[in-house]
Amino acid sequence: MDWNITQNFSSNIVFGILLFATSIYWVSLSLFRRTKNLIQVGKLSAIIANILLFLILCSRWIVAGYFPLSNLYESLLFLTWTLLTIYLYFEFRTKSKLLGAVLLPVALLINGFANLTLSADMQKSSPLVPALQSNWLMMHVSMMMLSYATLIIGSLLCILFLVLSKLQDVDLQLVDDSTSLVFYNNIFDYYDAKVFLQETQSIAPTSTDLPFEQDIQEIAFLKLLKSLDNWSYRIIGLGFPFLTIGIIAGGVWANEAWGSYWSWDPKETWALITWLVFATYLHSRITKGWEGKKTAILGGLGFFVIWICYLGVNFLGKGLHSYGWLS
């Protein structure tokens, strides 16, 4: 069997596994009850998809003889793998099914776009063009992909914050680290608070109103928003240095290949815009002390800016970054 056919078949399997895992997380979230075993199945599926993607990338590296980031298809696969890796790490840290329900659909869409939209010719490995035959390929592109994946996750959490808070100003200072609930196993489980109340109601059906029920739900919801706000800040704070290093490495590579550090290419321009958006986000949090709705709006804006930088400018079909343009 031809190697490209085998590799494309494996990529389609990854798509199917991600679709299954996404469905599992959405079902578990909609059931609104304890579904630990179901979540474990979804998490295992995401791990299997992640391992398969890693093997696909390694096989392309071995067969082609260069780091698999030379065209749009390979960068999409690498972005999907990076998203899954970071997501699995943070799910392990937070024990939250909410993260999987939000982040897995993004990985699914990226993988689906790579496998179902791009032509077979764009999916094939091909010899590197002269400008890409440099040791800077791995440094620059891998840093940019890592930054995209990390910033996408952080900005998605900002959007989730805005959706759950319904664009209302929420006083997160009402929730501090000393606030605790006896059934509160992790910082994200607002849904476990609901389940706890439902189970308590079933144990004591004669009670029409549980003591402090409204307070418990309100505290749980505020802790959820506080956690989303904190984790989005941490993740964006992690992705921003990757973006900075990637842009600097790209400038050095550009000077080596084209004789100029900066050419105001569409990709370069939007990379700068992306950097400025997230620099403003971090500045507002560190210097101004902003949190909640204001910074979530900035982070949510960054989500769309990233996609314009990564894919949007590819529809222009011009510029120095002309490898793998969409036709």
Side-chain angles (χ1 to χ4, degrees):
M1 183 180 291
D2 182 73
W3 175 79
N4 285 311
I5 297 176
T6 304
Q7 188 266 327
N8 290 339
F9 179 72
S10 301
S11 296
N12 290 331
I13 291 177
V14 171
F15 176 79
I17 294 174
L18 287 176
L19 180 60
F20 174 75
T22 301
S23 302
I24 289 293
Y25 273 90
W26 282 6
V27 168
S28 67
L29 205 59
S30 63
L31 287 178
F32 215 49
R33 64 184 67 173
R34 297 188 189 277
T35 53
K36 183 176 181 180
N37 293 333
L38 196 60
I39 287 298
Q40 291 302 320
V41 173
K43 188 184 297 184
L44 179 61
S45 300
I47 293 173
I48 293 173
N50 191 47
I51 293 173
L52 283 176
L53 273 173
F54 177 76
L55 294 176
I56 290 170
L57 290 168
C58 287
S59 66
R60 292 182 74 96
W61 192 350
I62 294 171
V63 173
Y66 55 80
F67 194 65
L69 279 175
S70 63
N71 57 36
L72 180 60
Y73 177 72
E74 291 175 345
S75 72
L76 286 167
L77 291 184
F78 187 81
L79 179 62
T80 306
W81 174 74
T82 310
L83 275 171
L84 286 175
T85 302
I86 298 173
Y87 143 70
L88 287 169
Y89 170 75
F90 283 111
E91 174 153 316
F92 174 78
R93 290 291 306 274
T94 62
K95 308 272 190 307
S96 171
K97 62 186 177 183
L98 189 59
L99 285 178
V102 173
L103 299 178
L104 280 178
V106 178
L108 174 67
L109 290 173
I110 296 172
N111 187 261
F113 177 75
N115 292 315
L116 305 178
T117 303
L118 300 183
S119 65
D121 290 336
M122 294 186 70
Q123 296 182 22
K124 292 180 180 178
S125 296
S126 57
L128 291 176
V129 298
L132 294 181
Q133 295 175 5
S134 170
N135 293 328
W136 288 102
L137 171 65
M138 183 186 298
M139 178 67 175
H140 169 59
V141 186
S142 63
M143 284 295 103
M144 294 303 294
M145 290 296 104
L146 278 171
S147 71
Y148 289 161
T150 312
L151 294 174
I152 284 172
I153 293 175
S155 57
L156 267 176
L157 294 183
C158 289
I159 294 174
L160 182 61
F161 179 95
L162 293 173
V163 171
L164 293 180
S165 65
K166 299 178 182 179
L167 295 176
Q168 301 297 316
D169 289 315
V170 180
D171 188 3
L172 299 179
Q173 299 298 328
L174 296 175
V175 181
D176 55 39
D177 294 334
S178 63
T179 305
S180 62
L181 301 174
V182 293
F183 56 87
Y184 219 79
N185 295 323
N186 69 79
I187 56 177
F188 274 106
D189 279 346
Y190 163 65
Y191 297 96
D192 271 2
K194 291 270 191 178
V195 172
F196 169 79
L197 293 172
Q198 292 173 354
E199 291 179 349
T200 310
Q201 287 278 17
S202 64
I203 294 173
T206 55
S207 176
T208 56
D209 293 310
L210 285 174
F212 311 116
E213 176 177 336
Q214 185 174 358
D215 290 340
I216 288 175
Q217 292 195 40
E218 182 178 352
I219 292 174
F221 184 67
L222 286 175
K223 283 178 74 70
L224 170 64
L225 294 179
K226 180 73 172 179
S227 301
L228 288 173
D229 186 65
N230 286 337
W231 276 102
S232 61
Y233 175 40
R234 293 179 186 181
I235 296 172
I236 290 175
L238 174 65
F240 185 74
F242 290 149
L243 180 63
T244 304
I245 294 172
I247 292 175
I248 293 173
V252 175
W253 187 12
N255 184 63
E256 179 184 287
W258 303 316
S260 173
Y261 287 100
W262 197 268
S263 304
W264 293 107
D265 174 78
K267 202 78 156 181
E268 295 173 353
T269 303
W270 277 99
L272 177 61
I273 293 173
T274 304
W275 189 90
L276 289 174
V277 168
F278 286 106
T280 303
Y281 172 91
L282 293 174
H283 174 75
S284 65
R285 294 208 62 135
I286 296 172
T287 305
K288 300 294 184 180
W290 288 5
E291 63 177 5
K293 178 183 174 182
K294 292 180 180 179
T295 52
I297 290 174
L298 282 173
L301 173 64
F303 178 79
F304 300 101
V305 173
I306 290 172
W307 284 111
I308 294 174
C309 177
Y310 177 50
L311 283 181
V313 296
N314 288 31
F315 288 97
L316 296 175
K318 60 182 180 180
L320 296 172
H321 292 74
S322 57
Y323 322 111
W325 286 135
L326 295 169
S327 58

